[in-house]
Structures are given as C-alpha cells and as structure tokens.
Amino acid sequence: MTGKQITEWDRIQSILRAEIGDDAFNAWIKNLNFKNIEDGTVLFSARTPFVRDWVRRHYADRIKELWEREGAKVFSVDITVDKKTAADSSFSGAAGAGKAFAKGVLTDSFGSVLDPRYTFDSFVVGKSNELAYAAARRAAESEQVLFNPLFLHGGVGLGKTHLMHAIASEVTRLHPGRKVMYLSAEKFMYQFITAIRSKTTVEFKRQFRTVELLMIDDVQFIANKESTQEEFFHTFNALIDNRRQVIISADRSPTDLAGIEERIRSRLGWGLVADIHPTDYELRLGILQTKSENFENVQIPKDVLEFLASKITSNVRELEGALNRVVAYTELTGRLVTIDMTRSVLQDLLRANDRKVTIDEIMRQVSDYYNLRLSEILSARRARDIARPRQVAMYLAKQMTSRSLPEIGRKFGGRDHTTVMHAVRKIDDLRRTDSTLEDDLNRLSHLLEG
Ligand code: ADP
Ligand code: MG
C-alpha cells in the first residue's frame, strides 16, 4: 500500500465514523486491517470471520463507494480473515450474503463476480421499472435474440446493475453452457488499456468473439474516451452482426449520451430502449417490506417503514443503506426500532434528502397556492396580497433549504439579506397567532415535501 492510499483510507474512515457513529465504527471498521488495492480490489483483513461477514453485509458497498469517491479504481472489496484463522477462506466481490458464498462464488463465464443477492426474485417491480424488468426477463429466458441491443437506462441506484446480474445468473442457470460476460464499461476500458500496454490486444479481441451474451454496465463511462469507444464499437458491431445478445446500461438515454460519437449513440438505440424512472412511494415501501423480511432477528414496525419510504426518496441504494443502518444499530444496542430512533440514526441521510426542495420549487408552489404569477412574487410591488406570499416563500426557503439569507435574497429578485431576515421573523411571529397562516404554511410544506 502507498502513503496516498493510507491517507485516503484515513479520510474514508472519518466519513464512516461520522455516518455510522462511534459504537458501530469501533465494533467493525476498527477491526479491519487495510492491506492494499490490487487490480481494482480493495483488500482488508478482519480479526474474525464474524467481523468479516458483518462488514461485508453492512459496509462493503459503502466502503467501495467511498474509495471511488477518492478517485480510486475500485470494483470490489475483498476481506480475508487474519492469518491465525485463515482457513476460513477469502472472498472476492462486493458485499454478499455469507451463506451464498459458502457454496462458492457466483461468476459469469469469465470469472467476473456476480452478486448473489441480485436476482429477479429479489427485484421488486413497480410502475417505474416494469418495462426494464420485463425486457430483462425476456432477454434472459428467450432462446432467440429478440431485441439487440437491449439498452437499460435510469439514474443511479435504481436497479440497472441488479437487473444485469439477474440476467447473468438466470441465463447461467437456464443455459449452463452459454458464454455470458458481464463487465462495467470502466473495466472494459481498464482491460483494453492493459492489453495495449502488454501488447495482447489480439487476445483481448478474441475473448469477446466467443461471447454469446455480453453485458456492459454504465457505458456513459466511455464518453470522451475515444480509443476505448472505438474498440467498444468494433466489439459491439461484431457481436450484433453475429446475432449475439448485447445488453447495455447507462445513466441516460442513448440520445443524451454526450461525449459519445453520434454513430455509436444511434446504433445503441436500434434495439429496445427501456428506462427506469425514479421510484414512487408504493415501490419504495414494497422494497423496504421485502428487504426487511430478510432480517431474521429484527422486527421493523410498519410506521418506521412508511417513514423511510416517505423520507428517503433519492434512490433505492440509499433506501437500502438507511434500512441496513437502522438494523445494525438495533442489533448492536438492543434498542427497539422506533421512528425517533430512526430519525436520530439517520440524521445526515434525512437532511440530505430534505435538501432536495429548491428555492425555485418553493417560489413556484407558493405563487400557485396564492394564485399569483411568479413574476409578481419576484417584483418590487409591496401590495399586501403580494408581499405576504413573498414573505411566506422566503420563510419556507429559509426553513426547507440550506441556503443562506444572502443567497435567498438574490434568488428573490436580488433583495438584500436583511429583507429576507425581516420576512423570516415576521412570518415566524405571525404563525403563532394567525391560524389561517399556520394552516397555509403546513399545507405548503406538505406539498413541497411531496
Ligand atoms: P444502479 O446500477 O442503477 O445504480 P443498482 O442496481 O446498483 O443501481 O441498485 C442499487 C441497490 O438498490 C442494489 O442493492 C439493488 O439491489 C437495489 N435495488 C434497486 N432497485 C431495486 C428493486 N426494484 N427491488 C429491489 N432492490 C432494488
Ligand atoms: Mg450500477
């Protein structure tokens, strides 16, 4: 390991400590020994198999994300048990259920690790993802190539990788001999560059020629990387021409893939393009219910699940992370799961999800509510039926966003921060005595929180 990596690991540890609290940090993360990063895998050793399993289950995904945020090329987290107990086997791949790994690591035909938790069965279907789900299932089950390529797109943490791993596992189960390859676009590039350096591009190309189902995840990664794009395009065309199934994912649609050549974008859209929309409340609740059934020793009350579904709206990964953290907390402290406890354990996450209300949305919502035009809210007019709603909007901007008074002033047609401060105080006073205003404020914040 290098000095730089040690500093990075120190930084990651302080973020983790802040996120999971001192108790959990001391119990788990402190019992890990950072060893190295090798070929995209962060290596740790753990004191005991128990620590290893726990960290895998609850923190490995997060550790991987934090390394990525440090700019490291990390595809997986690997935890071994310290020498004395080394017989307990090592582990490769992202966090996985210990049980499934006891049977052996699940991989595609070329040794890439598949997450055993990412199956069709564990994927909860709702309006926002039913098309992508159905298409993925068809692609996995069909004997023929029905649509080529299948292009899955949607924002981060909405299940693209989950569906791709599910396809790989299902195909491997239904058609054991079929050559399936799953890799991220990043890994594709990494392998390609390594092949160039070691003058083995012929072998690199040959390995793709034998593939019967190729899946490339997060293809937006090769934007602006010209030679990788070129190579990708050759591989892609060769497979499609040979009627081999290709499945691609990206965080946006083919047409929106800036930095990728027009001819490639257009060809990516030739087959079936299926998008995954952001989750709605029902789907989030469904996902939480399904996931919470996997925790044998912890009961999570319905009102807590509903609370989480309404508060953590960003994406499924955060939703899962939130649930895992609550579960880890009860398992460690023995405390019952309640809304209050959840609120305090998830302080930072809840704040980050709150921050999503913008000043623009507040101005729009308030002008709608009072039947005004946005231009009137922003104008200099002081008539009471405009000035009061304007103050309400400023007040809500202060309460519901993390913007400073000067920033709010600027947004409201370039007003001074003292004007905003005055509005905030005024409304704060008035709402105590004016019940109509109090109602308006409650209704507005409800509308804004969605
Ligand atoms: P993406 O690749 O789109 O960024 P992932 O596939 O990595 O997202 O999903 C993030 C996490 O959320 C994973 O743990 C995945 O299992 C989970 N997840 C996403 N969508 C669903 C779903 N519909 N049902 C169950 N779990 C889901
Ligand atoms: Mg993904």
Side-chain angles (χ1 to χ4, degrees):
M1 75 194 141
T2 66
K4 179 159 163 285
Q5 287 172 353
I6 295 175
T7 325
E8 287 167 348
W9 175 231
D10 281 344
R11 255 199 306 270
I12 291 170
Q13 288 187 85
S14 21
I15 299 173
L16 281 171
R17 186 191 280 279
E19 284 183 358
I20 67 181
D22 286 345
D23 291 346
F25 183 87
N26 293 333
W28 310 114
I29 309 298
K30 259 196 126 171
N31 283 313
L32 281 184
N33 192 354
F34 170 59
K35 301 207 312 215
N36 208 348
I37 301 188
E38 237 178 69
D39 292 340
T41 298
V42 199
L43 301 171
F44 293 100
S45 64
R47 288 266 183 77
T48 64
F50 182 63
V51 169
R52 176 201 60 195
D53 292 343
W54 185 278
V55 172
R56 253 183 220 167
R57 245 195 29 237
H58 297 287
Y59 305 117
D61 284 344
R62 185 65 185 146
I63 291 174
K64 175 170 153 286
E65 266 170 30
L66 290 169
W67 274 107
E68 284 171 341
R69 211 194 272 177
E70 291 289 334
K73 299 261 172 293
V74 164
F75 308 113
S76 59
V77 170
D78 191 278
I79 308 171
T80 54
V81 175
D82 280 339
K83 282 203 186 60
K84 268 172 280 158
T85 40
D88 200 84
S89 91
S90 74
F91 158 89
S92 163
K99 269 187 238 137
F101 278 95
K103 282 192 258 137
V105 177
L106 185 64
T107 66
D108 70 1
S109 315
F110 297 82
S112 274
V113 176
L114 299 172
D115 192 314
R117 296 167 307 171
Y118 293 174
T119 61
F120 284 125
D121 279 347
S122 66
F123 193 82
V124 183
V125 186
K127 274 200 293 294
S128 56
N129 58 24
E130 63 188 358
L131 174 64
Y133 171 81
R137 264 217 110 111
R138 284 297 291 280
E141 285 163 5
S142 172
E143 293 292 335
Q144 288 134 9
V145 175
L146 299 171
F147 19 74
N148 219 1
L150 168 59
F151 190 99
L152 302 171
H153 72 94
V156 288
L158 294 180
K160 301 182 295 295
T161 300
H162 185 134
L163 283 178
M164 289 181 126
H165 283 216
I167 294 171
S169 306
E170 187 68 2
V171 171
T172 314
R173 195 176 68 81
L174 293 173
H175 314 279
R178 200 174 284 180
K179 287 251 181 313
V180 178
M181 184 185 241
Y182 164 87
L183 78 173
S184 64
E186 190 173 3
K187 197 163 174 190
F188 179 89
M189 183 177 98
Y190 181 79
Q191 288 188 356
F192 175 54
I193 292 172
T194 311
I196 293 176
R197 274 210 208 111
S198 59
K199 304 196 169 55
T200 52
T201 47
V202 176
E203 283 84 85
F204 176 79
K205 285 180 213 281
R206 193 178 296 140
Q207 90 174 335
F208 286 100
R209 235 175 271 151
T210 64
V211 175
E212 296 172 272
L213 164 59
L214 175 68
M215 288 188 271
I216 299 204
D217 204 353
D218 288 322
V219 82
Q220 75 277 354
F221 183 83
I222 60 168
N224 301 316
K225 311 212 160 73
E226 279 154 34
S227 50
T228 305
Q229 263 182 51
E230 192 63 30
E231 192 52 41
F232 166 76
F233 196 48
H234 283 314
T235 307
F236 176 85
N237 282 336
L239 290 171
I240 300 246
D241 291 345
N242 286 316
R243 318 201 89 253
R244 305 287 169 79
Q245 178 76 59
V246 178
I247 302 178
I248 306 283
S249 87
D251 65 355
R252 63 203 85 162
S253 74
T255 39
D256 292 338
L257 281 170
I260 293 197
E261 277 180 63
E262 163 58 28
R263 63 186 174 131
I264 303 182
R265 273 187 280 151
S266 117
R267 190 121 204 226
L268 286 173
W270 275 12
L272 177 67
V273 177
D275 54 349
I276 307 183
H277 297 279
T279 55
D280 55 23
Y281 174 81
E282 274 73 36
L283 179 59
R284 290 196 293 275
L285 190 59
I287 290 171
L288 288 168
Q289 276 159 347
T290 311
K291 308 243 170 203
S292 63
E293 283 160 14
N294 296 335
F295 298 111
E296 281 156 24
N297 306 321
V298 179
Q299 285 292 330
I300 302 169
K302 193 155 162 277
D303 62 343
V304 170
L305 296 181
E306 288 166 355
F307 174 77
L308 289 173
S310 71
K311 292 291 181 191
I312 313 282
T313 54
S314 46
N315 64 52
V316 184
R317 184 173 300 136
E318 283 209 345
L319 194 63
E320 264 189 336
L323 185 66
N324 286 342
R325 232 204 272 175
V326 170
V327 169
Y329 191 83
T330 27
E331 285 185 338
L332 277 169
T333 61
R335 278 179 57 189
L336 281 182
V337 185
T338 62
I339 292 190
D340 274 350
M341 178 271 234
T342 304
R343 220 190 275 278
S344 85
V345 173
L346 299 178
Q347 255 174 30
D348 56 331
L349 254 186
L350 293 171
R351 229 181 293 125
N353 275 275
D354 271 353
R355 225 180 280 130
K356 284 201 357 209
V357 180
T358 65
I359 296 183
D360 288 321
E361 280 160 1
I362 293 173
M363 293 194 294
R364 233 178 294 129
Q365 192 66 255
V366 171
S367 41
D368 272 5
Y369 188 85
Y370 291 104
N371 280 318
L372 297 169
R373 281 195 301 273
L374 192 57
S375 57
E376 290 175 305
I377 294 264
L378 293 173
S379 73
R381 290 176 54 196
R382 285 157 177 263
R384 169 105 176 249
D385 55 349
I386 296 176
R388 185 54 43 81
R390 185 186 295 136
Q391 289 178 324
V392 164
M394 289 181 179
Y395 174 81
L396 290 172
K398 182 70 196 124
Q399 301 296 320
M400 301 185 76
T401 74
S402 55
R403 299 285 164 210
S404 65
L405 294 173
E407 281 173 313
I408 296 172
R410 272 198 294 282
K411 276 282 195 179
F412 280 81
R415 290 178 153 80
D416 195 70
H417 77 274
T418 52
T419 310
V420 183
M421 197 160 68
H422 173 74
V424 172
R425 289 208 186 124
K426 179 87 193 171
I427 299 296
D428 211 16
D429 279 351
L430 275 180
R431 76 180 298 177
R432 291 169 218 271
T433 51
D434 182 340
S435 62
T436 318
L437 178 65
E438 172 70 17
D439 275 357
D440 290 349
L441 288 167
N442 287 334
R443 226 169 285 159
L444 276 164
S445 39
H446 194 73
L447 285 168
L448 284 161
E449 275 163 358

